[in-house]
Amino acid sequence: MKIIDLRSDTVTLPTPAMRAAIYSADLGDDVYGEDPSTNRLQDMAAEQMGKEAALLVPSGTMGNLTCVLTHCRRGEEVIVGDKSHIFLNEAGGVSALGGIQVHTVPNQPDGTIRLEDIEAAIRGDNIHFPRTRLICLENTHNRCNGAPLSPEYLDSVASLAKRHGLNLHLDGARIFNAAAALGVDVRELTRGVDSLIFCFSKGLSAPIGSIVCGSREFIAEALRTRKMLGGGMRQTGIIAAACTVALEEMVERLSEDHMYARRLAEGIAQIPGLSIDLDQVKTNIIFFDLRSDRLAADDLITRLSKKGIKVSRTGPSRFRMVTHYGIEPQDIDAVLVALRETMEGSSHENRIEGTY
Ligand code: TLP
């Protein structure tokens, strides 16, 4: 039985070209700045993002942490969305390790934060208050239906930040998905930010690796923060080699994942007992809800997994599916058949039970 794993795009395995590149990578000690494969990747990534410099990190979480700790001192404040990955899914690292206070403001369903909400969260000059130092945005926005944030919106937050003397960080774990969905060059999404991260180990299918991009000065500081966090690694060329293939060969195909996510969502919309907002489906992440009192959320997961299908549960009756490299059209069809059988089976069982 083929396992169809839609829990995340992080489950993607390296391509044959990545495995070959890892095997033959030129290596050196990256803490001395002497790993040629890593240096090449960092230059490529900085160039693609329109920034002066870049720094390889093991994970998106360490990338965000490195950036926030580089921008802020202890006791300062960072404004983040209440559905952001930094707030929800990074183990409170910026507070626990950086002593930085997180000021949450509501994320809208499209992943944006209203400008007036950001503005209202910025602290005035008062000895009682922490100093606001940084604003963070996320693109695509994972929890907000994988929504892509537009260049116009990003620019408006960048000018707000500038007006208040604040820095702007972008968690661009899936920045290339945003660019593909919007049909824009990725630099249109990065031009106003002071720092950003993106991940190689999600839709781009590399086994490990994320990267921080920013000004030369910022990256020089971030290098020290990364070392402090234990992220100074040695022969990182084995990681960078696969990431380079990801950047060169895996970006173009992301819109396929978006197409399959849409096909999946449209199928789910036809299944009684499941509900999905098709207007929100824009990239490779979809959320749907179970609206049936005949089947428990846990049972849906169990029954699907017996059919070889893995999905994530993100709320009492909410589920997430993420399409990615390795998911083919026939897998989408198989998932839809399995979902329909599961939902129909549950109503049938209940009808029978109800007659006794
Ligand atoms: N997201 C993972 C889980 O942690 C939820 C996933 O399966 O989607 N920023 C964003 C927007 C992310 O979605 C993630 C990972 C990260 C940062 C962290 O990346 P890693 O897992 O490399 O630390």
Side-chain angles (χ1 to χ4, degrees):
M1 179 168 63
K2 180 182 176 187
I3 302 297
I4 305 173
D5 193 344
L6 297 169
R7 287 173 300 169
S8 182
D9 45 9
T10 58
V11 303
T12 43
L13 299 176
T15 64
M18 288 177 191
R19 290 175 191 265
I22 292 167
Y23 187 75
S24 59
D26 290 332
L27 303 175
D29 189 329
D30 184 55
V31 172
Y32 291 105
E34 290 173 6
D35 185 274
S37 306
T38 302
N39 291 338
R40 179 165 165 255
L41 172 73
Q42 291 175 165
D43 290 347
M44 270 175 71
E47 221 272 313
Q48 284 217 19
M49 295 294 141
K51 299 293 171 197
E52 286 174 359
L55 187 63
L56 181 68
V57 287
S59 67
T61 300
M62 193 187 279
N64 282 328
L65 186 58
T66 299
C67 289
V68 177
L69 265 62
T70 303
H71 284 293
C72 306
R73 302 274 75 82
R74 298 183 76 78
E76 293 185 336
E77 203 164 68
V78 51
I79 297 174
V80 299
D82 64 349
K83 296 188 183 62
S84 64
H85 196 274
I86 291 179
F87 177 57
L88 293 178
N89 291 98
E90 298 187 6
V94 299
S95 306
L97 305 173
I100 296 152
Q101 181 154 293
V102 171
H103 191 150
T104 54
V105 283
N107 273 121
Q108 301 305 309
D110 65 358
T112 61
I113 306 171
R114 285 198 200 105
L115 296 188
E116 52 270 36
D117 290 340
I118 297 178
E119 202 125 31
I122 298 170
R123 305 287 186 165
D125 184 15
N126 181 316
I127 57 152
H128 298 86
F129 298 161
R131 284 201 176 99
T132 307
R133 185 66 67 196
L134 180 68
I135 301 168
C136 295
L137 295 174
E138 187 174 314
N139 199 13
T140 62
H141 201 292
N142 186 342
R143 276 293 172 127
C144 296
N145 305 292
L149 305 185
S150 69
E152 297 72 31
Y153 173 73
L154 290 158
D155 288 348
S156 65
V157 178
S159 54
L160 184 158
K162 199 162 273 156
R163 224 171 34 248
H164 289 274
L166 304 177
N167 288 325
L168 177 60
H169 169 70
L170 182 66
D171 175 353
R174 298 183 179 83
I175 190 84
F176 287 111
N177 293 85
L182 298 166
V184 299
D185 187 286
V186 76
R187 290 173 192 209
E188 293 187 44
L189 304 174
T190 60
R191 61 190 170 207
V193 309
D194 299 289
S195 62
L196 73 119
I197 66 128
F198 72 88
C199 299
F200 299 105
S201 56
K202 301 204 163 54
L204 301 185
S205 307
I208 311 170
S210 291
I211 203 151
V212 172
C213 303
S215 66
R216 230 179 291 287
E217 197 187 351
F218 179 80
I219 294 298
E221 271 308 300
L223 189 62
R224 185 180 289 264
T225 313
R226 185 187 70 174
K227 190 78 184 94
M228 180 179 77
L229 295 173
M233 300 178 289
R234 302 297 175 170
Q235 284 71 36
T236 47
I238 56 165
I239 298 173
C243 297
T244 304
V245 175
L247 215 44
E248 286 173 341
E249 296 181 7
M250 302 302 282
V251 172
E252 286 299 309
R253 58 158 305 286
L254 289 175
S255 43
E256 258 176 53
D257 299 341
H258 300 178
M259 216 164 65
Y260 297 152
R262 167 128 307 257
R263 183 160 157 173
L264 189 54
E266 283 171 358
I268 289 173
Q270 305 294 318
I271 299 176
L274 300 181
S275 124
I276 187 163
D277 182 350
L278 289 177
D279 291 340
Q280 304 286 353
V281 178
K282 301 215 166 93
T283 61
N284 66 329
I285 299 180
I286 67 171
F287 288 86
F288 65 96
D289 294 289
L290 179 63
R291 297 250 189 271
S292 163
D293 46 14
R294 292 169 165 159
L295 184 68
D298 281 345
D299 292 336
L300 179 60
I301 299 265
T302 312
R303 290 185 195 199
L304 287 177
S305 78
K306 282 191 183 139
K307 293 172 192 280
I309 296 162
K310 297 187 182 184
V311 306
S312 296
R313 175 133 173 235
T314 58
S317 59
R318 186 145 244 240
F319 304 87
R320 185 183 80 157
M321 288 182 176
V322 187
T323 52
H324 51 77
Y325 175 67
I327 299 292
E328 307 290 340
Q330 61 271 23
D331 300 326
I332 303 297
D333 295 341
V335 172
L336 290 173
V337 168
L339 275 171
R340 190 172 279 281
E341 280 173 3
T342 305
M343 296 308 294
E344 281 171 1
S346 75
S347 61
H348 181 64
E349 274 165 29
N350 273 281
R351 265 207 308 281
I352 294 170
E353 274 167 22
T355 59
Y356 286 96

